[in-house]
Amino acid sequence: QVQLAESGGGLVQTGGSLRLSCAASGRTSTIRTMGWFRQAPGKERESVAALTWSGAWTYYADSVKGRFTISRDNALNTWYLQMNGLKPEDTAVYYCAASPWIERHLGHDYVRWGQGTQVTVSS
């Protein structure tokens, strides 16, 4: 199995930046696509960004394009979400997730999830 551990959330002002990290352990060879999702209070979980293990394919939600960047360090079995230009509407619990299939960005295609990390953007 794969275990995921997130870090890097926190409180930031509008326009600020944060970098989330997701460290994978266990059977990391089964990971084909890595993703970031978020869920705000009272809202459904939404896809934020995704990246294949090869790095050849990426996905970004329209709401974060140009502001967020997903990247990975395969040697460390870690992927990141660099978030710049943060807005109050980015406030949510952010989850990293791993999929055994390539080029997937929908939550039901992910089988392992981290515990979540809170990101709060103050206005």
Side-chain angles (χ1 to χ4, degrees), residues 10 96 99 113:
C96 66
S99 174
W113 294 80

Side-chain angles (χ1 to χ4, degrees), residues 51-110:
L51 172 70
T52 50
W53 195 256
S54 68
W57 175 87
T58 56
Y59 163 84
Y60 291 98
D62 288 343
S63 58
V64 306
K65 281 181 181 176
R67 300 188 298 123
F68 291 11
T69 302
I70 187 171
S71 62
R72 89 270 189 243
D73 186 329
N74 289 357
L76 296 178
N77 292 320
T78 300
W79 59 96
Y80 308 93
L81 186 68
Q82 178 66 44
M83 304 185 292
N84 299 328
L86 283 161
K87 306 174 182 179
E89 51 264 43
D90 294 319
T91 296
V93 177
Y94 283 71
Y95 300 89
C96 66
S99 174
W101 301 289
I102 63 170
E103 301 181 4
R104 306 297 175 100
H105 70 275
L106 297 177
H108 61 248
D109 288 326
Y110 286 74

Side-chain angles (χ1 to χ4, degrees), residues 8-22:
L11 173 65
V12 65
Q13 292 185 334
T14 297
S17 298
L18 283 174
R19 189 177 80 155
L20 306 182
S21 299
C22 182

